Amino acid sequence: MASDLPGGDLRVTPAVLIPAAELRWRFSRSSGPGGQNVNTTDSRVELVFDLAASQALPAALRARALRRLEGRLVEGALVVAASEHRSQWQNRVAAQRRLVAQLQEALRPPPPPRRPTRPSRGSVERRLAAKKQRGAIKLRRQGRPNLPDE
């Protein structure tokens, strides 16, 4: 999980640690809560992690993350913005947590493949019996004589 100190290394999983040198911070003025304070402080935070060039991830995990996050990447970099808090510090913590959550989701191993199954004999028989019963009801509505049951 993200540390409580923004600007430090990020622990994504027990085996993956992103060094602070691979993270870039950008700050800007935020819209939202804060009153006149918003007009004078750069409380909006953008955390940029260059996933394509990162050495913190093994090649297989980096390829998996690039494939899963390809719609969110900007030139190979993952950009996370946070501006929901009034203070820059809280927004930095929020951005780190969001980045860690996205990377954990992208690095998660794929689910096991589905094993094809077949319906049981009883369920097939019940389905066919219900279809025959429904067809008989519809035939009675038309005023035709009932077909003999087999």
Side-chain angles (χ1 to χ4, degrees):
M1 188 78 189
S3 67
D4 288 338
L5 300 173
D9 296 344
L10 282 182
R11 172 77 54 193
V12 178
T13 65
V16 176
L17 177 74
I18 299 173
E22 291 192 8
L23 301 173
R24 286 193 329 254
W25 296 93
R26 288 193 298 226
F27 307 101
S28 61
R29 299 221 170 120
S30 172
S31 62
Q36 293 175 349
N37 183 50
V38 167
N39 300 328
T40 60
T41 58
D42 292 340
S43 59
R44 183 175 185 273
V45 171
E46 282 186 5
L47 178 57
V48 181
F49 173 58
D50 192 356
L51 182 60
S54 175
Q55 297 301 315
L57 299 171
L61 288 180
R62 184 171 47 247
R64 180 187 300 165
L66 285 169
R67 190 172 51 253
R68 289 187 178 170
L69 294 171
E70 67 183 340
R72 295 194 46 99
L73 297 178
V74 179
E75 297 176 6
L78 183 61
V79 180
V80 177
S83 62
E84 61 267 14
H85 300 288
R86 287 182 60 169
S87 76
Q88 186 187 96
W89 183 268
Q90 288 176 315
N91 284 331
R92 288 175 75 166
V93 171
Q96 277 187 335
R97 287 191 176 137
R98 222 173 279 151
L99 177 71
V100 167
Q102 287 180 5
L103 287 175
Q104 284 174 342
E105 180 65 29
L107 296 176
R108 183 170 291 137
R114 181 189 174 274
R115 287 182 37 207
T117 59
R118 297 181 61 182
S120 66
R121 180 186 292 174
S123 67
V124 170
E125 289 173 358
R126 285 189 299 273
R127 182 179 64 84
L128 292 177
K131 285 170 68 91
K132 281 186 181 181
Q133 183 181 9
R134 188 74 186 147
I137 290 172
K138 290 181 178 184
L139 278 179
R140 275 187 257 137
R141 279 192 206 138
Q142 294 175 1
R144 294 183 185 166
N146 288 346
L147 295 177
D149 291 333
E150 293 178 349

